[in-house]
Amino acid sequence: MKVSFSAFNFPSSLLAGTATITAVLFSQGTVFALTDAQRSQIGAAVYKIANPATVQINYLKGGADPNDSKSPEGLGGSGVIIKREGNTYTVLTCLHVVAYEKSGNQRPRLTVRTFDNLKPGSPVYEVTSVTKLGDVVESDLAIVTFTTGNSEKTYPEVKVAETANQAENNALIFVSGYPAIQGKSGSQRPYRFADGVVTKRLNVGSPPGFEPYTMRYDAQTEVGMSGGAVFDKDGRVIAIHGMSGAIGLADGFSMRSGDRNGAVPINIFWEKKSKYGLGKLDIKRDNAPSTDNPSERLKNPDSGFDWEKKGAVEAAQGNKEEAVKSFNEAIERDPSRANAFLQRGNIRFDQEDWQGAIADYDRAITLNPDYTNAYYNRAAARWNQRDKEGALADFNEYLTRSPNDFEAFFQRGKIRNSLGDTEGMLADFDRVVALVPEEPRAYYNRGVVRRQLQDWPGAIEDLQKAVDLLKQQGMRDEDDRRFYQKAQQLIQSLQPTDGAATPQPPEPVDNSGDVTPDNSGNQQPEPADDSDVRVNPDEPATPQSQPGGDSGW
C-alpha cells in the first residue's frame, strides 16, 4: 500500500556620542559597469557600516540567566541597530525572530550579541522590550531594545533610507546577519556579509501569503540571518531580510532556490512605525538619491559578476534561455563564480536535465562547500535520477549544516522509508515534532509511521494530538479540515472492535518500486493526491513563525 503523508504548509514554509556611520563609496558618483576591484571597494565600504551595527538575537533555553556565561543559547536570528540613546539601543528585526510562542509556555528570554562579543564567555545583553509592527502577514517586523548597562562600549546606528523604491532590478544589495548553520548557536554563529542584486520587485499582497516580502534578490543567505538588514550600494538600510526561497517539486520535495530570497522593504517600516505607537521614536530618514545605476549594467555587462547578475534577473523574470546564456558568459569570464553554477543548475533542474543540474551543483560545492542549498538541490536531482543512496547522502550533509530544517528531516525520512529503513524515518519524524511542536501535520505524519510500525497506542496518541491542535488553531483552511477528518478516521480504524483485540495491521510497504519524476509506479511514501500543497514554482516558502525551517529565524 502507499502511505499518505500530509504536505507541510505552515502559516506565516538573524563610538563616542550618537554615531551614524557614513561613507563616500565612490568619488566619481554614479556607477555603470563594475570592475571586480570597484565592486570589492563598494563591498568593503558597506561592510564597515554593516558589521558593527548588526547584532545576533538569541533566546535563552529554560529561562537561563543572561549574565551567566555558561547559559545555553538557542537558535536565533539577526537585527540591525537603527537608534542609540545613551546606553540604550533600538534594533529593527523580523517579528518571526522574536515572537517565539508555544501554547502554555512562557516566551523565552531574548538576548543580543554584538559583533565584538562573539567569543565564548563574552557578555550578552538582555532584550528589554519588544514592539510588534503588526503581524507576520502585515509586516513581519518588530522593534527590540537592549541596554549595555555600565559598559563603556558603544555601537553605531545605521542610516535608514526613506524608501526602497530606488532599488530596481539589478541594484546592488548586501545582506548582513549571523547564520545558524551546522548546529551553531550564540557565540559560535559566524558573521556573514552576502552580496547580490535585486532580481524582482512585487506588489504588496501579490501573491497572497507573501504580503510584506516584495523585494527579491540572489544573495546567498542562511537560516539565522532573518532580521538582518539589506543595505544598498550607499550603505543605507533599504529592507529587512527574512525569507529564503524554495521551489515545489514532485512528490512533495522542494528545491532551495538561491535567487528567491526575500525582504520587507523599508517603506513598510515607515508606514507601521506610527501606527503601532512608535511615532515618538526619532529615526532619521535618508532621502538622498541612489548613486547606483543598475539598468545601465544590465544593458552593458562587463565582468563575470555583471553577467551573473544579469542572468539572475533574467531567471527571476522567467527568461531562462537568456539567463543560461548570461550564466555561461559569467562562467567563461570567471570560472570561480559558484553562484553562477548554482543558479544555472537550478534552471537545468527546472528543465529536468538532472545530470546537467548535478554537474553544476558539484561545481558550486567544490568552489564553495558552504553552499547548503546546493546539497539540498543535488539531493532532489539525485532523487529524480532514482539515486536514493546519493540523495540520502546529500540530505545527511545538508542536515549537518542546517540541523533545524524540519522540512529536510521530513524529506530525508521519506527517502529512508523508500530504502526500507522505517525506523530511520520514525527518527526523522521525531525531529520534525521536536522542531515544530505546535504543527498538527508533524504529529499526523508521525502517527502514520507508527501505524505502519504497528505501534497502535503511539499512532493513536499522535493522531489525537493532531486533532486537538487542529481544533485549538481553528481550522486554518480547507486542507486543515480534510486532515482533521482523516486523523479522526484513522483513530477510529485503530480502536479495538468487538471480537478483535487489536487493529488489523496495514499491508507492508513495497520499497522496491522505481522512483520516477512523475511518481509512476512509486511505492515509497508520497503526499496524498488530495492534500499535497504545492508551492508555486515562481514563489518561495512562507516565513516561519517558529524557529527552524527553510526561512529560519
Side-chain angles (χ1 to χ4, degrees), residues 405-426:
D405 189 340
F406 65 87
E407 186 180 349
F409 279 106
F410 174 65
Q411 307 293 12
R412 188 177 72 174
K414 290 167 57 180
I415 293 176
R416 283 177 160 179
N417 187 66
S418 74
L419 292 168
D421 182 10
T422 310
E423 293 288 350
M425 177 171 63
L426 178 60

PDB file of all heavy atoms in Angstrom, residues 405-426:
ATOM      1  N   ASP A 405      16.197  22.462  10.079  1.00  0.00           N
ATOM      2  CA  ASP A 405      15.290  22.498   8.934  1.00  0.00           C
ATOM      3  C   ASP A 405      14.340  21.305   9.027  1.00  0.00           C
ATOM      4  O   ASP A 405      14.655  20.200   8.604  1.00  0.00           O
ATOM      5  CB  ASP A 405      16.085  22.457   7.633  1.00  0.00           C
ATOM      6  CG  ASP A 405      15.207  22.704   6.403  1.00  0.00           C
ATOM      7  OD1 ASP A 405      13.976  22.527   6.508  1.00  0.00           O
ATOM      8  OD2 ASP A 405      15.757  23.062   5.350  1.00  0.00           O
ATOM      9  N   PHE A 406      13.153  21.538   9.587  1.00  0.00           N
ATOM     10  CA  PHE A 406      12.217  20.444   9.814  1.00  0.00           C
ATOM     11  C   PHE A 406      11.791  19.785   8.508  1.00  0.00           C
ATOM     12  O   PHE A 406      11.589  18.576   8.444  1.00  0.00           O
ATOM     13  CB  PHE A 406      10.980  20.949  10.565  1.00  0.00           C
ATOM     14  CG  PHE A 406      10.155  21.938   9.800  1.00  0.00           C
ATOM     15  CD1 PHE A 406       9.162  21.523   8.943  1.00  0.00           C
ATOM     16  CD2 PHE A 406      10.371  23.289   9.949  1.00  0.00           C
ATOM     17  CE1 PHE A 406       8.403  22.434   8.233  1.00  0.00           C
ATOM     18  CE2 PHE A 406       9.622  24.211   9.251  1.00  0.00           C
ATOM     19  CZ  PHE A 406       8.627  23.781   8.379  1.00  0.00           C
ATOM     20  N   GLU A 407      11.648  20.599   7.441  1.00  0.00           N
ATOM     21  CA  GLU A 407      11.200  20.029   6.173  1.00  0.00           C
ATOM     22  C   GLU A 407      12.237  19.062   5.614  1.00  0.00           C
ATOM     23  O   GLU A 407      11.889  18.038   5.014  1.00  0.00           O
ATOM     24  CB  GLU A 407      10.920  21.137   5.161  1.00  0.00           C
ATOM     25  CG  GLU A 407      10.314  20.605   3.870  1.00  0.00           C
ATOM     26  CD  GLU A 407      10.036  21.713   2.863  1.00  0.00           C
ATOM     27  OE1 GLU A 407      10.111  22.896   3.241  1.00  0.00           O
ATOM     28  OE2 GLU A 407       9.756  21.373   1.713  1.00  0.00           O
ATOM     29  N   ALA A 408      13.518  19.353   5.822  1.00  0.00           N
ATOM     30  CA  ALA A 408      14.564  18.457   5.335  1.00  0.00           C
ATOM     31  C   ALA A 408      14.523  17.121   6.080  1.00  0.00           C
ATOM     32  O   ALA A 408      14.764  16.066   5.492  1.00  0.00           O
ATOM     33  CB  ALA A 408      15.935  19.109   5.481  1.00  0.00           C
ATOM     34  N   PHE A 409      14.243  17.157   7.387  1.00  0.00           N
ATOM     35  CA  PHE A 409      14.084  15.893   8.116  1.00  0.00           C
ATOM     36  C   PHE A 409      12.893  15.111   7.571  1.00  0.00           C
ATOM     37  O   PHE A 409      12.937  13.882   7.465  1.00  0.00           O
ATOM     38  CB  PHE A 409      13.898  16.164   9.613  1.00  0.00           C
ATOM     39  CG  PHE A 409      15.179  16.419  10.345  1.00  0.00           C
ATOM     40  CD1 PHE A 409      15.521  17.704  10.758  1.00  0.00           C
ATOM     41  CD2 PHE A 409      16.063  15.377  10.623  1.00  0.00           C
ATOM     42  CE1 PHE A 409      16.715  17.939  11.430  1.00  0.00           C
ATOM     43  CE2 PHE A 409      17.259  15.617  11.303  1.00  0.00           C
ATOM     44  CZ  PHE A 409      17.587  16.898  11.704  1.00  0.00           C
ATOM     45  N   PHE A 410      11.822  15.809   7.251  1.00  0.00           N
ATOM     46  CA  PHE A 410      10.647  15.159   6.676  1.00  0.00           C
ATOM     47  C   PHE A 410      11.014  14.471   5.362  1.00  0.00           C
ATOM     48  O   PHE A 410      10.673  13.301   5.133  1.00  0.00           O
ATOM     49  CB  PHE A 410       9.560  16.210   6.468  1.00  0.00           C
ATOM     50  CG  PHE A 410       8.334  15.711   5.750  1.00  0.00           C
ATOM     51  CD1 PHE A 410       7.516  14.745   6.313  1.00  0.00           C
ATOM     52  CD2 PHE A 410       7.977  16.234   4.516  1.00  0.00           C
ATOM     53  CE1 PHE A 410       6.375  14.302   5.658  1.00  0.00           C
ATOM     54  CE2 PHE A 410       6.842  15.800   3.850  1.00  0.00           C
ATOM     55  CZ  PHE A 410       6.034  14.833   4.426  1.00  0.00           C
ATOM     56  N   GLN A 411      11.736  15.179   4.492  1.00  0.00           N
ATOM     57  CA  GLN A 411      12.114  14.609   3.202  1.00  0.00           C
ATOM     58  C   GLN A 411      13.088  13.443   3.378  1.00  0.00           C
ATOM     59  O   GLN A 411      12.969  12.415   2.701  1.00  0.00           O
ATOM     60  CB  GLN A 411      12.738  15.689   2.309  1.00  0.00           C
ATOM     61  CG  GLN A 411      11.901  16.943   2.133  1.00  0.00           C
ATOM     62  CD  GLN A 411      10.609  16.721   1.365  1.00  0.00           C
ATOM     63  OE1 GLN A 411      10.198  15.589   1.131  1.00  0.00           O
ATOM     64  NE2 GLN A 411       9.943  17.805   0.998  1.00  0.00           N
ATOM     65  N   ARG A 412      14.056  13.607   4.266  1.00  0.00           N
ATOM     66  CA  ARG A 412      15.008  12.502   4.465  1.00  0.00           C
ATOM     67  C   ARG A 412      14.294  11.278   5.017  1.00  0.00           C
ATOM     68  O   ARG A 412      14.633  10.133   4.662  1.00  0.00           O
ATOM     69  CB  ARG A 412      16.144  12.920   5.402  1.00  0.00           C
ATOM     70  CG  ARG A 412      17.250  11.852   5.464  1.00  0.00           C
ATOM     71  CD  ARG A 412      18.408  12.269   6.330  1.00  0.00           C
ATOM     72  NE  ARG A 412      18.082  12.264   7.757  1.00  0.00           N
ATOM     73  CZ  ARG A 412      18.974  12.479   8.724  1.00  0.00           C
ATOM     74  NH1 ARG A 412      20.240  12.733   8.402  1.00  0.00           N
ATOM     75  NH2 ARG A 412      18.619  12.464   9.994  1.00  0.00           N
ATOM     76  N   GLY A 413      13.319  11.503   5.893  1.00  0.00           N
ATOM     77  CA  GLY A 413      12.569  10.379   6.413  1.00  0.00           C
ATOM     78  C   GLY A 413      11.877   9.599   5.320  1.00  0.00           C
ATOM     79  O   GLY A 413      11.847   8.349   5.334  1.00  0.00           O
ATOM     80  N   LYS A 414      11.329  10.296   4.348  1.00  0.00           N
ATOM     81  CA  LYS A 414      10.667   9.624   3.230  1.00  0.00           C
ATOM     82  C   LYS A 414      11.677   8.817   2.405  1.00  0.00           C
ATOM     83  O   LYS A 414      11.377   7.712   1.949  1.00  0.00           O
ATOM     84  CB  LYS A 414       9.959  10.658   2.359  1.00  0.00           C
ATOM     85  CG  LYS A 414       8.741  11.268   3.037  1.00  0.00           C
ATOM     86  CD  LYS A 414       8.242  12.508   2.315  1.00  0.00           C
ATOM     87  CE  LYS A 414       7.908  12.244   0.872  1.00  0.00           C
ATOM     88  NZ  LYS A 414       7.419  13.467   0.200  1.00  0.00           N
ATOM     89  N   ILE A 415      12.869   9.374   2.213  1.00  0.00           N
ATOM     90  CA  ILE A 415      13.895   8.636   1.466  1.00  0.00           C
ATOM     91  C   ILE A 415      14.299   7.386   2.238  1.00  0.00           C
ATOM     92  O   ILE A 415      14.451   6.300   1.671  1.00  0.00           O
ATOM     93  CB  ILE A 415      15.118   9.530   1.200  1.00  0.00           C
ATOM     94  CG1 ILE A 415      14.751  10.662   0.241  1.00  0.00           C
ATOM     95  CG2 ILE A 415      16.276   8.712   0.637  1.00  0.00           C
ATOM     96  CD1 ILE A 415      15.871  11.649   0.000  1.00  0.00           C
ATOM     97  N   ARG A 416      14.486   7.536   3.548  1.00  0.00           N
ATOM     98  CA  ARG A 416      14.850   6.369   4.359  1.00  0.00           C
ATOM     99  C   ARG A 416      13.796   5.276   4.251  1.00  0.00           C
ATOM    100  O   ARG A 416      14.114   4.085   4.146  1.00  0.00           O
ATOM    101  CB  ARG A 416      15.031   6.794   5.820  1.00  0.00           C
ATOM    102  CG  ARG A 416      16.345   7.511   6.093  1.00  0.00           C
ATOM    103  CD  ARG A 416      16.446   7.965   7.529  1.00  0.00           C
ATOM    104  NE  ARG A 416      17.815   8.225   7.923  1.00  0.00           N
ATOM    105  CZ  ARG A 416      18.191   8.650   9.123  1.00  0.00           C
ATOM    106  NH1 ARG A 416      17.277   8.869  10.066  1.00  0.00           N
ATOM    107  NH2 ARG A 416      19.459   8.868   9.407  1.00  0.00           N
ATOM    108  N   ASN A 417      12.542   5.673   4.260  1.00  0.00           N
ATOM    109  CA  ASN A 417      11.491   4.670   4.143  1.00  0.00           C
ATOM    110  C   ASN A 417      11.538   3.973   2.795  1.00  0.00           C
ATOM    111  O   ASN A 417      11.319   2.767   2.695  1.00  0.00           O
ATOM    112  CB  ASN A 417      10.124   5.312   4.358  1.00  0.00           C
ATOM    113  CG  ASN A 417       9.020   4.275   4.406  1.00  0.00           C
ATOM    114  OD1 ASN A 417       8.962   3.450   5.314  1.00  0.00           O
ATOM    115  ND2 ASN A 417       8.132   4.303   3.428  1.00  0.00           N
ATOM    116  N   SER A 418      11.838   4.734   1.742  1.00  0.00           N
ATOM    117  CA  SER A 418      11.914   4.129   0.409  1.00  0.00           C
ATOM    118  C   SER A 418      13.056   3.126   0.315  1.00  0.00           C
ATOM    119  O   SER A 418      13.053   2.248  -0.551  1.00  0.00           O
ATOM    120  CB  SER A 418      12.089   5.217  -0.657  1.00  0.00           C
ATOM    121  OG  SER A 418      13.397   5.752  -0.644  1.00  0.00           O
ATOM    122  N   LEU A 419      14.054   3.256   1.215  1.00  0.00           N
ATOM    123  CA  LEU A 419      15.171   2.307   1.275  1.00  0.00           C
ATOM    124  C   LEU A 419      14.918   1.202   2.300  1.00  0.00           C
ATOM    125  O   LEU A 419      15.819   0.416   2.597  1.00  0.00           O
ATOM    126  CB  LEU A 419      16.464   3.055   1.614  1.00  0.00           C
ATOM    127  CG  LEU A 419      16.984   4.002   0.525  1.00  0.00           C
ATOM    128  CD1 LEU A 419      18.084   4.901   1.076  1.00  0.00           C
ATOM    129  CD2 LEU A 419      17.498   3.202  -0.665  1.00  0.00           C
ATOM    130  N   GLY A 420      13.706   1.156   2.847  1.00  0.00           N
ATOM    131  CA  GLY A 420      13.357   0.104   3.788  1.00  0.00           C
ATOM    132  C   GLY A 420      13.697   0.408   5.229  1.00  0.00           C
ATOM    133  O   GLY A 420      13.567  -0.463   6.097  1.00  0.00           O
ATOM    134  N   ASP A 421      14.123   1.630   5.519  1.00  0.00           N
ATOM    135  CA  ASP A 421      14.527   1.997   6.875  1.00  0.00           C
ATOM    136  C   ASP A 421      13.385   2.767   7.546  1.00  0.00           C
ATOM    137  O   ASP A 421      13.444   3.983   7.712  1.00  0.00           O
ATOM    138  CB  ASP A 421      15.795   2.844   6.818  1.00  0.00           C
ATOM    139  CG  ASP A 421      16.311   3.239   8.208  1.00  0.00           C
ATOM    140  OD1 ASP A 421      15.800   2.695   9.208  1.00  0.00           O
ATOM    141  OD2 ASP A 421      17.212   4.098   8.270  1.00  0.00           O
ATOM    142  N   THR A 422      12.337   2.037   7.946  1.00  0.00           N
ATOM    143  CA  THR A 422      11.188   2.689   8.565  1.00  0.00           C
ATOM    144  C   THR A 422      11.546   3.275   9.924  1.00  0.00           C
ATOM    145  O   THR A 422      11.038   4.339  10.312  1.00  0.00           O
ATOM    146  CB  THR A 422      10.029   1.695   8.710  1.00  0.00           C
ATOM    147  OG1 THR A 422       9.810   1.052   7.451  1.00  0.00           O
ATOM    148  CG2 THR A 422       8.749   2.402   9.118  1.00  0.00           C
ATOM    149  N   GLU A 423      12.429   2.602  10.661  1.00  0.00           N
ATOM    150  CA  GLU A 423      12.861   3.134  11.956  1.00  0.00           C
ATOM    151  C   GLU A 423      13.602   4.456  11.769  1.00  0.00           C
ATOM    152  O   GLU A 423      13.469   5.382  12.577  1.00  0.00           O
ATOM    153  CB  GLU A 423      13.738   2.115  12.682  1.00  0.00           C
ATOM    154  CG  GLU A 423      13.013   0.851  13.125  1.00  0.00           C
ATOM    155  CD  GLU A 423      12.079   1.098  14.301  1.00  0.00           C
ATOM    156  OE1 GLU A 423      12.128   2.203  14.886  1.00  0.00           O
ATOM    157  OE2 GLU A 423      11.298   0.186  14.632  1.00  0.00           O
ATOM    158  N   GLY A 424      14.399   4.543  10.709  1.00  0.00           N
ATOM    159  CA  GLY A 424      15.087   5.795  10.415  1.00  0.00           C
ATOM    160  C   GLY A 424      14.106   6.898  10.085  1.00  0.00           C
ATOM    161  O   GLY A 424      14.292   8.057  10.483  1.00  0.00           O
ATOM    162  N   MET A 425      13.047   6.550   9.337  1.00  0.00           N
ATOM    163  CA  MET A 425      12.019   7.536   9.041  1.00  0.00           C
ATOM    164  C   MET A 425      11.362   8.021  10.335  1.00  0.00           C
ATOM    165  O   MET A 425      11.131   9.220  10.510  1.00  0.00           O
ATOM    166  CB  MET A 425      10.964   6.953   8.108  1.00  0.00           C
ATOM    167  CG  MET A 425       9.815   7.915   7.825  1.00  0.00           C
ATOM    168  SD  MET A 425       8.676   7.382   6.523  1.00  0.00           S
ATOM    169  CE  MET A 425       8.023   5.879   7.228  1.00  0.00           C
ATOM    170  N   LEU A 426      11.087   7.101  11.253  1.00  0.00           N
ATOM    171  CA  LEU A 426      10.476   7.490  12.519  1.00  0.00           C
ATOM    172  C   LEU A 426      11.396   8.449  13.287  1.00  0.00           C
ATOM    173  O   LEU A 426      10.931   9.437  13.866  1.00  0.00           O
ATOM    174  CB  LEU A 426      10.175   6.258  13.368  1.00  0.00           C
ATOM    175  CG  LEU A 426       9.562   6.537  14.751  1.00  0.00           C
ATOM    176  CD1 LEU A 426       8.238   7.271  14.615  1.00  0.00           C
ATOM    177  CD2 LEU A 426       9.387   5.231  15.519  1.00  0.00           C
TER     178      LEU A 426
END
